Short mmCIF file of all heavy atoms in Angstrom, two decimals:
data_model
loop_
_atom_site.label_atom_id
_atom_site.label_comp_id
_atom_site.label_asym_id
_atom_site.label_seq_id
_atom_site.Cartn_x
_atom_site.Cartn_y
_atom_site.Cartn_z
N SER A 351 -69.15 101.27 71.08
CA SER A 351 -70.51 101.72 71.37
C SER A 351 -70.89 101.37 72.78
O SER A 351 -70.70 100.21 73.25
CB SER A 351 -71.46 101.02 70.34
OG SER A 351 -72.73 101.62 70.45
N MET A 352 -71.33 102.37 73.53
CA MET A 352 -71.81 102.13 74.90
C MET A 352 -73.36 102.21 74.80
O MET A 352 -73.93 103.21 74.52
CB MET A 352 -71.30 103.18 75.86
CG MET A 352 -69.75 103.29 75.81
SD MET A 352 -69.07 104.09 77.27
CE MET A 352 -69.57 105.81 76.98
N ASP A 353 -73.98 101.04 75.06
CA ASP A 353 -75.41 100.91 74.78
C ASP A 353 -76.16 100.54 76.08
O ASP A 353 -75.64 99.72 76.86
CB ASP A 353 -75.65 99.76 73.78
CG ASP A 353 -75.39 100.18 72.37
OD1 ASP A 353 -74.22 100.20 71.95
OD2 ASP A 353 -76.37 100.56 71.71
N ILE A 354 -77.35 101.06 76.18
CA ILE A 354 -78.25 100.52 77.20
C ILE A 354 -79.63 100.18 76.52
O ILE A 354 -79.92 100.73 75.43
CB ILE A 354 -78.53 101.49 78.38
CG1 ILE A 354 -79.48 102.63 77.95
CG2 ILE A 354 -77.26 102.06 78.98
CD1 ILE A 354 -80.27 103.24 79.12
N GLU A 355 -80.37 99.36 77.22
CA GLU A 355 -81.76 99.11 76.79
C GLU A 355 -82.49 98.79 78.06
O GLU A 355 -82.02 98.03 78.93
CB GLU A 355 -81.76 97.91 75.80
CG GLU A 355 -82.98 97.85 74.94
CD GLU A 355 -83.15 98.98 73.90
OE1 GLU A 355 -82.14 99.62 73.52
OE2 GLU A 355 -84.27 99.19 73.43
N MET A 356 -83.69 99.41 78.25
CA MET A 356 -84.43 99.18 79.52
C MET A 356 -85.94 98.97 79.23
O MET A 356 -86.49 99.59 78.38
CB MET A 356 -84.21 100.31 80.51
CG MET A 356 -84.66 101.66 80.11
SD MET A 356 -83.94 102.99 81.14
CE MET A 356 -85.08 102.99 82.46
N GLY A 357 -86.50 98.02 80.03
CA GLY A 357 -87.89 97.77 79.88
C GLY A 357 -88.81 98.50 80.80
O GLY A 357 -88.34 99.20 81.72
N PHE A 358 -90.07 98.45 80.56
CA PHE A 358 -91.08 99.12 81.38
C PHE A 358 -90.94 100.63 81.47
O PHE A 358 -90.90 101.17 82.56
CB PHE A 358 -91.13 98.48 82.77
CG PHE A 358 -91.46 96.99 82.70
CD1 PHE A 358 -90.46 96.03 82.79
CD2 PHE A 358 -92.75 96.58 82.49
CE1 PHE A 358 -90.75 94.70 82.68
CE2 PHE A 358 -93.05 95.25 82.36
CZ PHE A 358 -92.05 94.28 82.48
N ILE A 359 -90.75 101.25 80.30
CA ILE A 359 -90.64 102.68 80.30
C ILE A 359 -91.94 103.29 79.88
O ILE A 359 -92.82 102.64 79.29
CB ILE A 359 -89.48 103.19 79.27
CG1 ILE A 359 -89.79 102.74 77.88
CG2 ILE A 359 -88.13 102.69 79.75
CD1 ILE A 359 -88.97 103.45 76.83
N GLU A 360 -92.15 104.59 80.15
CA GLU A 360 -93.33 105.32 79.72
C GLU A 360 -93.11 105.86 78.31
O GLU A 360 -94.00 105.89 77.45
CB GLU A 360 -93.62 106.46 80.63
CG GLU A 360 -94.00 106.06 82.07
CD GLU A 360 -95.32 105.31 82.13
OE1 GLU A 360 -96.23 105.54 81.30
OE2 GLU A 360 -95.43 104.42 82.99
N SER A 361 -91.91 106.41 78.08
CA SER A 361 -91.60 107.01 76.78
C SER A 361 -90.09 107.23 76.66
O SER A 361 -89.37 106.87 77.59
CB SER A 361 -92.30 108.34 76.63
OG SER A 361 -91.61 109.32 77.40
N HIS A 362 -89.69 107.78 75.51
CA HIS A 362 -88.26 108.11 75.29
C HIS A 362 -87.73 109.04 76.36
O HIS A 362 -86.52 109.15 76.56
CB HIS A 362 -88.11 108.68 73.91
CG HIS A 362 -88.83 109.94 73.67
ND1 HIS A 362 -90.18 110.03 73.81
CD2 HIS A 362 -88.42 111.16 73.37
CE1 HIS A 362 -90.58 111.27 73.62
NE2 HIS A 362 -89.54 111.99 73.32
N GLU A 363 -88.59 109.78 77.05
CA GLU A 363 -88.17 110.69 78.09
C GLU A 363 -87.41 109.94 79.20
O GLU A 363 -86.43 110.45 79.72
CB GLU A 363 -89.38 111.40 78.77
CG GLU A 363 -90.20 112.28 77.81
CD GLU A 363 -89.66 113.70 77.78
OE1 GLU A 363 -89.08 114.14 78.73
OE2 GLU A 363 -89.92 114.35 76.75
N ASP A 364 -87.85 108.71 79.49
CA ASP A 364 -87.16 107.93 80.52
C ASP A 364 -85.73 107.67 80.06
O ASP A 364 -84.83 107.55 80.91
CB ASP A 364 -87.90 106.59 80.77
CG ASP A 364 -89.24 106.81 81.36
OD1 ASP A 364 -89.44 107.86 82.00
OD2 ASP A 364 -90.14 105.94 81.22
#
Side-chain angles (χ1 to χ4, degrees):
S351 190
M352 303 199 291
D353 280 84
I354 74 154
E355 200 70 20
M356 63 195 274
F358 300 101
I359 61 165
E360 295 295 329
S361 76
H362 61 301
E363 297 272 333
D364 294 337

